[in-house]
Amino acid sequence: MRYMKSHHTSFYDSLSGHFEEDRPLCRQQERGFALISTLLMLSVMSTLLAAYLVVSRIELATTKASKDSSSGFYAAEAGLNIRAETIRQIFVGYNTPSGSSPLTSSDPCTGGNDGTGDMICQDYDFNGREVRTYVVDHQAGIDPPLLPIRQGLYQGLNAQDYIYTANSEAISNDGRTEAILQLRFKSRVVPMFQFAAFYDKDLEILPGPSMNLNGPVHTNGDLYMHSDNTLTINGQVTTGGTIFRGRKNDNSCRANSTRVYDPTSARQLVPACSSRTQVNSTHTNPFNGMIQFGVDTVTVPPPEILDPVAGSLYWDRADLRLVLNLDASQNPLVTVPGLTTGIEVRNADHSVDSAASLALYNCSAAQANNQRSIRRNPFGGDNAMAAVGTSRTFTNRRENRLIRMLDIDMRGLLNCLHSTNWLGTNARTLGDTTEGGLVFYFTVSGPNGTTNTSPYGVRIRNGQTLQSNIGGAPAVVGMTIVTDQAVYPQGDFNSVGKRPAAILADSFNPLSNAFYNAGAQNFNDATTTQHVNNRPASSTVQNVAVLSGTDTTGNQEGTGGQGGAYNGGLENYPRFHENWSGDTYTYRGSFVSLNRPRRYSGAWVYGNPQYTAPNRNWDYDTDFNNAANLPPISPRFVYLQQELFVRDFEQ
């Protein structure tokens, strides 16, 4: 029998790593099926992997798009914030934004459609994104009227609401629009002299006798309220910081009545306290929003706004700038005989106005001659009643130094300005209304005058009527007096025929009617009568809003100053220098303090040798509730109020 020889092949066993002989055909078929299955599985896995990669790419693209959109949103929001803050800062600087917006009917900020001035298109770069912005002025450059704030924060005050819309578009580096945002807001401008008291620092109201304040009270810092008798505030009380019942200089708190209107009835605030107590919302809830703490601080002018330098608001806009020049190196035009000093009329760039200086010199000398048989000093002096003069007979016991004064006879000055027609050379008269009335800047330029030991001051007398008594002279509409030095209003001020009036100074030092009598001082303070007992006061009336510096308890704002030396509180905002015992200081106005004095650093001490306190007949001047009765260029604060935020588009 013949046998057919079977076919054999060799194969490599991948598991054993050896070549082996052929196996039967069925065994080979099984391995074939396994190989096919493996290939199929690999194909399926490859398909799944490819699908996974596609999905991952889609998810990554979605995540990136979402991230880009968020980044674009924040970039566009930053653009809105910059434009809104820029608008606010213009108001802080006592200016009004100007310019025209780009036309919104066509593509804004493209093809030359950019607008002008403060509304113009502006581009910013945030994280590689172009942010395109512009502003729309809804009043079209027209100043809105002062209208009352009906409710909420600062309710009852008058404010000007300037309404704007800031627009911002974020564009990616590949040209895609990622976000378009709009912010409509009010830039709210509020005159500060509408407050009974307004502080940009800690405020302490701690009177001994009863005190009534019929007006709003605000501080950007902490507020301390306490009284040895009764303290009543009929107006909204707001603070950027904390409210305390009790004193700052020690931990005491008397349970005497401290009341705030709710707004219809006076309620006691923390009626039972034996030590300084922090006021919380449980205490304030019954007052229906009339007491608020922790509110947003408002932006106020810096103290440098009073500096006599070009570019400073009040120096630039003053109708008259008078400088007592004690620096001989400046070769002053006008000199007091026998002294290298002079009183000069200055221009805004500090150049001397020769014609005005000579006219004032001659008028002042003539006035002194008319009032006294012996002419001493053409520019006034210790006893001469000239329109403007200088004296050095007053010792400030709080500062413990002799003060060189620029003396102003207010009525005499107004008479000279009218008779010489000097204001007329500027196309203005005593009845000027350009800034709401007259703005006068008075200062002394001399050694140490810009330090905290300045030996200078400005004394204003004969100001009971802020008018000229020359027949036919225009009536003064309002008056603001500004100085970077201490001011000493002497005697009744604005007490007859009251006009809107303000004094802005480094510190406020009222002197009584008794301090100067019938053209001669009652004493020579430089030699024999420095003690307060030799300075008898008499009852005096002054109607004027005041902005000046005040000391700080503990020499530190905030709780870090607690327990330190007392600054005297609101009740000692006016710095007294006489024996007022039994006499009354009647005051109507508004007390504003934005900083500590920069020229005077003497600390408050009660009694000898500084002063004895008057009977305080004080109150807020409610005439200031009418915006027409505010003094010229009244200081103001600014805050923004958001009305609408729109996210128009996202890609």
Side-chain angles (χ1 to χ4, degrees), residues 608-627:
N608 297 338
Q610 294 187 0
Y611 77 105
T612 58
N615 298 321
R616 295 179 175 93
N617 179 11
W618 297 2
D619 214 337
Y620 167 68
D621 189 343
T622 56
D623 285 349
F624 293 153
N625 290 336
N626 183 344

Side-chain angles (χ1 to χ4, degrees), residues 62 78 196 226 284 312 331 449 595:
T62 303
H226 172 85
T284 60
S312 181
N331 189 24
N595 57 287

Side-chain angles (χ1 to χ4, degrees), residues 61-121:
T62 303
T63 301
K64 183 178 185 302
S66 178
K67 180 180 178 181
D68 288 346
S69 177
S70 297
S71 298
F73 173 86
Y74 293 129
E77 187 178 40
L80 290 181
N81 292 335
I82 290 176
R83 293 309 296 266
E85 175 63 15
T86 300
I87 294 293
R88 187 181 67 86
Q89 285 297 331
I90 293 171
F91 285 106
V92 170
Y94 286 79
N95 294 304
T96 303
S98 60
S100 60
S101 306
L103 297 175
T104 55
S105 57
S106 56
D107 290 337
C109 305
T110 59
N113 181 24
D114 293 331
T116 63
D118 300 310
M119 311 296 130
I120 198 169
C121 294

